[in-house]
Amino acid sequence: MSAALSIESLKTQAQGLSFRNQAFIGGQFADAASGKTFDCVSPVDGKVLTAVAAGEAEDVDRAVKAARAAFEDGRWSRQHPAKRKKVLQRWADLIEEHATELALLETLDMGKPIGDSARIDIPAVANCIRWYGEAIDKIYDEVAPTGDNAVAMMLREPLGVIGAVVPWNFPLLMAAWKMGPALATGNSMVIKPAEQSPLTVIRAAELAVEAGLPEGVLNVVPGFGETAGQALGRHMDVDAIAFTGSGEVGKLFMKYSGESNMKRVSLECGGKTPNIVMADAPDLDAAATAAAWAIFFNQGEVCNAGSRLLVEESVKDELLERIMKVGQQMRIGDPLDPATQMGAMVDDTQMERVLGYIEKGQSEGARLAMGGERVMAETGGYYIAPTVFDNVKNDMTIAQEEIFGPVLSTISFSDPEEAVRIGNDTIYGLAAAVWTSDINKAHKAAKALRSGVVWVNCFDAGEMSTPFGGFKQSGFGRDKSLHAMDKYTEVKTVWIELH
Ligand code: NAD
């Protein structure tokens, strides 16, 4: 997005958008076999954007058949790596060329600020696809150390048909984290976007075909979880499910797999990230700013949001004051305004859920120090003020359950061991952060925290080269980095006896 774009010009462009609202199967747009649709409501103002095809089992089956046919005839799976690389790179270019359109779709569909969609989400999507494209012709298989009488090769082969089921908080980016490595390794795919946010994934799949991805390799079936999502999870000809979403639904995918064809399952589920600030943090202002963004960015609808602030007793009041100052200055407003920093919650259900947690926090005895209410109700959209709780105990509901909203729970501790113990006292293990100037404390905490990533003196840092995923009930399998490719490949040993 050019920095010069004004809210007026963005609104004009938004009005001119055409929505791709059908399933995308075998390279063609298609209505649901049942003819059913569902309303795609914008949380910006509560108005219907378009009616989207409500795919069900029959549509999923068609998409899986298209994906299987594409996989078996080798139009992608056996194409030369250098050619596949070019296609993904061209696709990344097209995503960049259509960045404003995609950013507008993302913002209208799920309510995040246009500045975030345009400067974070869509560039990250293009970067992800390009990164995996570049990797395609640079990864080698292995040869085992055998004796002279044999050659044993360990070959990585694509699994076949990958089903990807993704959430609504970073709709296209979460899909890209699956599409990049799954397509780079030669698989075909069927994606089911979240019913709250189907628009960008459908459009991106169309752009993939324009970039040269053979028809049928990437299919999209919009629809509800219990119908389309479950049908994909139970399909006998899907080789793997890559899921991002809640733990509750993640567990269902393991059940679907066990009750169908034992398809591989990888899960990226929720989190309750402890952001641990010790009294010797190198820069309390930096820690405060990071702590505020850690929970208010993307309206708190982030799986690794720093939702539990663990702070050493002696600096608690000072830190909290600074965090609240950042929160109070945060511009909550029209998501189409480039100056907006916090937009709308994805839908009214999520808004009510978050408000319910805020009530629960108060009834369980936490002190509401800031926010706590719906704002901008006159717009018809679903906005919640940045909210901070103090005096939270780690066994309270707001400290244990994933709220997925802009709600910070502050818990104090008196020594580093206690901080780590509280940090680990959760069913989740997606991420953790530690702020300290003492390298010994930093290393000890980083080793002891049970999570997929530990940030030291920063929050949410990472690049495509670093894996992302959970310990414990945050799931298993990794997105991003070369490690993600493991989820979409099998190792085949070929042993050749020499005579
Ligand atoms: P969700 O689990 O409700 O939905 C995720 C997807 O699963 C959607 O596409 C939905 O339609 C589908 N689904 C729902 N019920 C289903 C069913 N019965 N059978 C099959 N599919 C079904 O999650 P959400 O509310 O969309 O997203 C929020 C959750 O996602 C949070 O828990 C968040 O932490 C998690 N998340 C995790 C990561 C990560 O990388 N770890 C990233 C983003 C979001």
Side-chain angles (χ1 to χ4, degrees):
M1 183 180 71
S2 115
L5 274 187
S6 63
I7 181 168
E8 290 74 24
S9 86
L10 286 165
K11 288 205 162 180
T12 309
Q13 286 191 56
Q15 272 161 10
L17 284 174
S18 69
F19 300 112
R20 307 295 192 274
N21 53 12
Q22 292 168 291
F24 190 67
I25 299 175
Q28 308 296 323
F29 285 110
D31 289 330
S34 66
K36 286 185 203 163
T37 60
F38 62 92
D39 282 345
C40 180
V41 175
S42 175
V44 171
D45 54 11
K47 294 192 180 134
V48 175
L49 290 169
T50 183
V52 175
E56 294 181 348
E58 195 178 335
D59 309 286
V60 166
D61 189 50
R62 277 188 54 220
V64 172
K65 286 198 169 98
R68 175 61 62 192
F71 182 75
E72 294 300 334
D73 70 17
R75 70 187 84 159
W76 176 250
S77 53
R78 291 198 293 277
Q79 209 177 76
H80 193 282
K83 276 197 174 164
R84 285 194 275 127
K85 172 177 81 174
K86 273 201 171 149
V87 171
L88 291 198
Q89 288 179 329
R90 173 78 188 119
W91 187 22
D93 292 345
L94 282 178
I95 288 166
E96 278 169 352
E97 284 166 29
H98 293 269
T100 304
E101 176 198 348
L102 290 165
L104 281 167
L105 287 176
E106 207 74 303
T107 286
L108 290 172
D109 206 358
M110 70 71 66
K112 68 171 68 199
I114 187 73
D116 290 358
S117 321
R119 294 195 198 96
I120 300 174
D121 289 55
I122 304 305
V125 169
N127 183 44
C128 171
I129 300 299
R130 185 171 291 122
W131 197 91
Y132 284 105
E134 283 167 357
I136 291 178
D137 61 355
K138 296 172 190 66
I139 295 175
Y140 294 73
D141 286 323
E142 297 169 81
V143 177
T146 56
D148 275 355
N149 62 339
V151 174
M153 300 180 289
M154 281 95 81
L155 309 176
R156 281 255 166 215
E157 295 196 345
L159 288 175
V161 176
I162 309 295
V165 179
V166 291
W168 44 258
N169 58 340
F170 294 87
L172 189 52
L173 185 58
M174 292 303 99
W177 284 5
K178 319 285 188 210
M179 295 188 291
L183 295 175
T185 44
N187 295 282
S188 296
M189 298 188 81
V190 178
I191 302 191
K192 199 217 67 77
E195 51 273 37
Q196 296 88 344
S197 58
L199 300 179
T200 45
V201 172
I202 306 175
R203 178 69 177 122
E206 185 186 18
L207 290 176
V209 170
E210 193 181 324
L213 190 72
E215 294 180 351
V217 174
L218 178 60
N219 307 276
V220 184
V221 181
F224 292 97
E226 288 202 347
T227 46
Q230 175 160 199
L232 202 52
R234 290 188 181 278
H235 202 288
M236 293 300 287
D237 204 25
V238 169
D239 297 288
I241 286 283
F243 170 77
T244 298
S246 62
E248 199 186 338
V249 177
K251 288 177 185 176
L252 285 178
F253 276 101
M254 296 180 78
K255 183 171 124 102
Y256 300 156
S257 165
E259 290 176 356
S260 58
N261 63 341
M262 214 192 280
K263 57 179 67 64
R264 278 76 180 119
V265 176
S266 57
L267 305 176
E268 294 274 5
C269 299
K272 202 69 200 174
T273 297
N275 184 17
I276 301 173
V277 183
M278 308 216 186
D280 61 359
D283 178 345
L284 213 56
D285 264 333
T289 304
W293 280 103
I295 187 65
F296 301 139
F297 170 61
N298 211 46
Q299 303 70 245
E301 295 164 328
V302 181
C303 50
N304 61 256
S307 52
R308 288 186 301 152
L309 174 69
L310 273 49
V311 51
E312 198 158 345
E313 188 61 56
S314 58
V315 292
K316 189 191 80 174
D317 291 344
E318 195 184 341
L319 183 74
L320 215 48
E321 199 177 302
R322 295 189 200 189
I323 290 173
M324 290 197 286
K325 204 166 149 201
V326 179
Q328 273 146 9
Q329 286 167 357
M330 217 157 258
R331 293 183 63 159
I332 177 162
D334 184 344
L336 284 174
D337 184 342
T340 291
Q341 294 173 306
M342 265 180 78
M345 307 304 296
V346 72
D347 60 14
D348 54 349
T349 310
Q350 182 63 10
M351 179 183 69
E352 292 303 338
R353 195 171 159 260
V354 174
L355 291 172
Y357 275 114
I358 293 171
E359 244 181 77
K360 186 95 178 158
Q362 289 171 286
S363 70
E364 289 186 358
R367 182 175 77 81
L368 183 64
M370 189 180 117
E373 74 281 336
R374 179 180 186 182
V375 292
M376 293 171 52
E378 70 286 357
T379 62
Y382 316 119
Y383 302 82
I384 295 184
T387 298
V388 174
F389 275 106
D390 190 7
N391 297 343
V392 177
K393 300 274 172 274
N394 199 51
D395 59 0
M396 288 180 183
T397 309
I398 55 169
Q400 286 296 318
E401 294 185 13
E402 191 181 36
I403 299 176
F404 229 54
V407 182
L408 182 65
S409 295
T410 310
I411 301 167
S412 58
F413 65 85
S414 50
D415 59 59
E417 288 73 27
E418 190 190 8
V420 167
R421 189 185 52 71
I422 298 172
N424 282 337
D425 185 11
T426 162
I427 60 166
Y428 296 111
L430 190 58
V434 185
W435 299 77
T436 174
S437 323
D438 183 334
I439 195 163
N440 299 296
K441 283 192 207 166
H443 271 297
K444 278 191 176 170
K447 278 187 178 229
L449 286 162
R450 303 276 303 146
S451 62
V453 58
V454 180
W455 295 296
V456 178
N457 295 331
C458 59
F459 196 93
D460 206 5
E463 296 188 352
M464 273 314 298
S465 53
T466 52
F468 183 82
F471 283 26
K472 303 195 283 185
Q473 290 191 40
S474 289
F476 47 85
R478 292 291 177 268
D479 280 330
K480 296 170 65 196
S481 83
L482 297 182
H483 290 281
M485 292 167 137
D486 295 350
K487 297 197 298 196
Y488 306 106
T489 51
E490 292 280 22
V491 178
K492 178 188 278 177
T493 302
V494 178
W495 181 284
I496 304 170
E497 196 75 17
L498 304 177
H499 299 286

